[in-house]
Amino acid sequence: CTTWWCSSQEARVRAKVVLPAPGVATESRLQRLEYDDLSVRRSLAVAHDALAASGRRSDRDAALALRRLGALDLPTYGAPLVARLLGTDSDRAEEALDRLVDVALLEETAYGRYAPHDLVRDFARELAGSGQAADVARTGVRWYTAVAERVLTETVQPGFDQEDRRRPTPTQPPEHTAHVRSVPPFAGSEEAFAWSIAELENIVALAERYADASDERTAAHVSTLLRLIFPCLQRGGRVSEMEVLGQVALELARRLGDEVAEAYALSDLAGMHFLAGHYGESLAFMEQATALWRRLGMISRVRRCLGNQGLLLESLGRYAECEQALLQCLELSPQLDDPWGDAVAYGHLGNLYEHTDPRAAIEYHRRSLAIGNEIGNVIVAHSALCNIGYAYLALDEPAAAVPHFEESLSMLGGHSDWHGESQSRLGLVRALRLLGRDGVCESECAELLRRADARADGYTGGLARHQYGLLLRKAGRPAEAREQWRVALAALDGTDKKEVLAELRELLDS
């Protein structure tokens, strides 16, 4: 097979035809790209038919792969997904994808990721327009749901959080368990996180497509997919995608009448708003989730929600209510063998007491750290060290804070936890600035901004720019400082970081 469309023919067609705007029907777009004896659709059909009639297995696999891609229609594709769609192994699927690249029907956009040109995508949809298209799409959704459970088991440590998430909800399709057994586990958490990042755009596309699906079984698979993948996205700090997926999860759960899935979606939306700095909205979702978990009798989930409510109430300055929620959380300890939950509650109590007695707060954080070390939970230990650093900042002892922030970051390693990492990095920047270590501080601040921008995390970026502006002002660069503060104010406006917002306005007015 030669390339599907020689450059001279493309130029002649484009010279005579104006491409329609996005959203024009497939038939219309390909129909318009015809002139005299030239036809894009005909050129594509010749390339496809030559592959399909070839005596080489890889060519026939490539033709079938193009039809399968048209049925599922996602932004990009990898060999494991295509292998499932073809019913073969990854090596054979990769050969088929490489063959499609050879004949210019696909482009390798990144290592191991493939995407068709828009017009090829339209043609592939036409090829898949009849026959088994619906079955192929369902196969793809079920594969994503199965792999999502493998991601969960690799990125969430064993305990109530993992066990509860994996427990089937009333509408989880019974065949899901067999599908999970059919996909291999990841080699480690880093590989699982990498998969979630590579496939996130596709997961969002599937969720949006099936949010209103009339096929309830497929809707139930998507609901299961979102429940299983959400903890990984939260750990990765993918706030914008979390917002879209959380809303779809809530809509699907309510449409399916699945109260367990609904409670998870409410909790997940609360987590998304917390990461975005919208503590009031987060608390409203968390209170709804708590009430639903209580009615469902899920004590482990009630306890998680009470701990999170304590964190949110402390962030909102509602300290008496915070203490009440956290003490209720600890009162549930005898009913559960959950040292992780105890450690988190002690950490939140430390955050509360930091406002009145930072040294007492440090003792609570050390209790949390001891539990984290005892149970081997890196995230708990990392958070405790970070919190101790902030307590030392509250004591105006930045020199004591720095090693705790540095240790918290070094122990995190490959364990992705963007909220904890960003808090440690922000605390380290503050401490270094107070110590006058300006060069290192600027470098750390630039790294924090780079990582926040990579996640489109404007909230963390705003907090970092606030600190960067203070550093620039100290360096005698007031105009640059004011620009950083203006950007920070725009990013944080509407969040519940009221003290920072007030300081930014004062800095800009001075």
Side-chain angles (χ1 to χ4, degrees), residues 474-487:
K474 180 184 176 185
R477 298 155 65 183
E480 295 174 68
R482 290 178 65 81
E483 179 58 26
Q484 292 296 324
W485 292 332
R486 276 193 289 269
V487 176

Side-chain angles (χ1 to χ4, degrees), residues 171 210-216 218-220 249-258 262:
T171 61
Y210 292 106
D212 301 316
S214 57
D215 178 359
E216 289 205 352
T218 300
L250 185 59
E251 292 167 11
L252 284 174
R254 287 175 172 170
R255 181 158 65 84
L256 294 168
D258 189 332
E262 180 182 354

Side-chain angles (χ1 to χ4, degrees), residues 457-474:
D457 184 354
Y459 173 69
T460 298
L463 296 175
R465 291 181 190 283
H466 167 227
Q467 293 296 317
Y468 189 36
L470 294 173
L471 186 65
L472 290 170
R473 181 180 65 173
K474 180 184 176 185

Side-chain angles (χ1 to χ4, degrees), residues 297-317:
M298 289 279 289
I299 301 301
S300 59
R301 304 318 310 164
V302 171
R303 190 183 197 214
R304 289 290 184 270
C305 288
L306 287 171
N308 290 331
Q309 282 186 49
L311 173 65
L312 291 164
L313 289 163
E314 181 268 327
S315 300
L316 290 166

Side-chain angles (χ1 to χ4, degrees), residues 176-195:
H176 169 71
T177 302
H179 294 156
V180 175
R181 288 196 297 267
S182 73
V183 298
F186 290 99
S189 61
E190 289 189 39
E191 187 181 30
F193 277 116
W195 181 90

Side-chain angles (χ1 to χ4, degrees), residues 175-257:
E175 64 269 21
H176 169 71
T177 302
H179 294 156
V180 175
R181 288 196 297 267
S182 73
V183 298
F186 290 99
S189 61
E190 289 189 39
E191 187 181 30
F193 277 116
W195 181 90
S196 72
I197 292 170
E199 297 291 350
L200 183 52
E201 187 180 13
N202 287 351
I203 292 171
V204 171
L206 287 172
E208 292 181 324
R209 182 181 309 162
Y210 292 106
D212 301 316
S214 57
D215 178 359
E216 289 205 352
R217 181 54 64 89
T218 300
H221 275 287
V222 174
S223 176
T224 304
L225 162 63
L226 299 182
R227 183 184 87 245
L228 296 171
I229 200 66
F230 221 93
C232 180
L233 303 184
Q234 184 166 344
R235 289 266 300 276
R238 311 298 299 207
V239 176
S240 58
E241 293 91 350
M242 287 169 64
E243 183 172 13
V244 173
L245 298 178
Q247 288 292 345
V248 172
L250 185 59
E251 292 167 11
L252 284 174
R254 287 175 172 170
R255 181 158 65 84
L256 294 168

Side-chain angles (χ1 to χ4, degrees), residues 62-73:
L64 179 58
L66 186 64
R67 298 194 294 274
R68 294 288 192 259
L69 301 190
L72 191 55
D73 193 20

